[in-house]
Amino acid sequence: MTDGLLSQSFTSAAADTDRSVDPDLVARARAMAAKGTVLLRNENDVLPFTAGTRLALFGRIQKDWIAVGYGSGGDVNPPYVTNLLDSLRESGRVEVDLQLAQQYEAWCEQNPADPGEHWGAWPRHYPEMPLDDDAVREAAGRNEAAVVVIGRAAGEDRDAELAGGSYYLTDAEHALLSQVTGAFDRTVVIVDGGNVIDLSWTENYPLDGVMIAWAGGMEGGRATADVLTGAVEPGGRLTATFARRYQDHPSAGHFGDADVTAYVEDVFVGYRYFETFAPEKVLFPFGSGLGYTRFDIKPTGVHADEGTILVRARVTNTGDRPGDEVVQVYVHKPSGELSQPLRALAAFGRTGELAPGESREMELPIAWADLASYDDAGATGHRSAYVLEAGSYRFHVGHDVRSAHDAGGVDITELRVVQQLEEAAAVDPAHGFERIVLEHDENGDPRIGYAPVPTRTTSLKQRILDRLPEAVDPPVGDEPTFEEVLEGTAGLDDFIATLTPRELADLTYGDVTMDSPLGAAGNAGALGGVSRALRDRGVIPAITTDGPSGIRLSTHASLLPCGTALASTWDPQAVQGLCARHGQEMSRKGSDILLGPGMNIQRDPLCGRNFEYFSEDPLVSGLTGAAQVNGIQSQGLAACPKHFACNNQEFKRSQVDVRVSERALREIYLRGFELMVRESSPWAIMTSYNKINGVWGHYHYDLITSILRGEWGFTGLVMTDWWMRMAQDPDFPALHDSGYRVRAGVDVLMPGSIHSQQPVRDEGVLESHRAQDGLTLGEMQEAARHVLGYLAAVRPQGHRMGRGEREEH
Ligand code: BGC
């Protein structure tokens, strides 16, 4: 299957005229977009602009505001999208230069910002309006300050690139910056987009203010205006590092290959790398961001008992405006046998609003178990175990990773084995590589070393055979209906035991197309009761929609702040509140399962879907993801976090083999998912297209069955990303395609056809079941149990918006 076939898109033009929105959802979206805005520089308190400030706005993005990224995660039909120019005028709090605004408005109309029709070929930026020096000088004469807006977009199937107009500025943008900073006394730059881009130029122009407005959804323009005018303080803190140069990122040189990407940096992802080996290469550190007041964070103690460590700090607002600070706690673990980064985020919390002079005592708990490291090499004598090595665990508290200072430590005298697991998803011995480890030079300073990555020692085939699920026997007496299961008068297994192989197989496929007639127009697909035979037995369909930043349907729906914007608030409670209201909109519009949150780690700044994802850090990702799931699921619906796992690049995403040590996999790439599963029990999870150590996500027994279900206790259903590469099971010749998938524990192929161009039901499950030594009845029942278990517990209602029956295939 080519990437082209995976690039499904369907006409999602708004089919109705109902543009009404829930005012509470809108208010929350606006507040969250503002809270996620990250102020990186504020010389001489240039911001907020005082009332009545005369402002000149430059850059077409003031009008053509980037509200979201491209692809399934951005393809919502919002009832409107605000932009900065209109929002500042609407605010009435500043005076926007009319002449310049009119010039931009006329030019933007003549040169529309058109993303185009072709999937994956969207523009990463839009050309700038040229301005002559006189016009800029005249504008400087009329105004007190300038705001320059730079916009960037990337998306699904569309990574950013190392070129002007994507990671770098264009010549036209450079020209604009030099004209404006040459003429104005005060200049503020706003970067509106979803990816980390090069900001080295902020050192070269005399800029007073630098602010990141992460794609904030339909209320993003208003949110940015709120922040600029001081109606709201910028509440965001960076969830990824801005390095001085792209080449300084540890992933640089190991990103974007079509076939193989080795994660050589191992656990040294993002700030874990920079703080340990190259602090001088950082421009804006992880966790940084300014508000409109100042805070003093004074550590007041570190207390530990058997299970928990409590880090305490007193936070005082020392400025003259009210404000709300994020307190961040980083751990420095002892480097014994296992390399440890100098800093790893261990806890964080927001103070809530503090008046000038006011203090708050913060108490941040950390479970010892969450500090353990996974020994994939047996270096500590405990291979495949989470361990706490002996030594001093130091805790650093502060505003960001760089300024956090030592608050105290706790010593462990003997190594503790926290959890003994089993090797899973390890690197194929044929694909070994060298990973970064921590060494020290003659002065004791950290230095990069390399060591061979441990490789697989166990037989996957044997593990699978040893653990094949048993089939359940039919009950004595009448066949129960699914209604009886719902009423509680029949057991789920009794119902499952009466399903025929055909019915069981049908439960392992979604409806054959996106935009299933069983649900509202523009849905992403249906699962569950997708055949008439199943529906006759009372099995209802469930309707999925993208996600994550809004409901992707033909009808209008709210476009919410992107994942990075939400994570940048460092406020999971507020994310949960927003997502609960979002869930209510899902119910109204006919979505049962939201295909989100996007939980992959922002490993490299160029990944096109970084806007959907939360952070380079798994704790921020895990807690923000859990908040989104909890919010949606509090409304009796389901969330489907994705893409499990390692979808860290879009280029050839269904081809690339991610090679990663088991330790980095568990501690970085799976960790966010693990925390999210633990804290929010999602009803569903979506696999990724890519391979992980040689096995595609949708065939990955170890990821799904050994780790997700076996270790983490996940009980929901697992679905593929939309269509999948067909393949033969290398260990079991009788199994192919969906037979291979179901054996791995991936319950549902979405949508249930061979591929997007051919809406014909795939028959891999039945064929693999009928073959000698094929898929067992027990395995098919197990998949059915996950699907029906979800349907019975949640009772999806989205089919009430259905438009008719599907012709049987
Ligand atoms: C994307 C998923 C999305 C699905 C359905 C896939 O191409 O990778 O994130 O949920 O399509 O639109």
Side-chain angles (χ1 to χ4, degrees), residues 6 8 72 119 156 514 524 546-547 552 595 609 612 642-643 653 686 689 721-722:
L6 293 171
Q8 23 57 39
S72 57
W119 177 276
E156 185 174 349
M514 296 183 80
D546 280 303
R552 182 195 190 197
L595 304 176
R609 296 185 89 168
E612 291 185 58
K642 60 192 186 184
H643 308 87
R653 58 183 170 153
M686 186 193 295
Y689 286 127
D721 199 343
W722 265 224

Side-chain angles (χ1 to χ4, degrees), residues 274-289:
F274 287 111
E275 296 307 310
T276 311
F277 299 117
E280 73 289 353
K281 292 181 173 162
V282 173
L283 190 60
F284 296 111
F286 179 86
S288 59

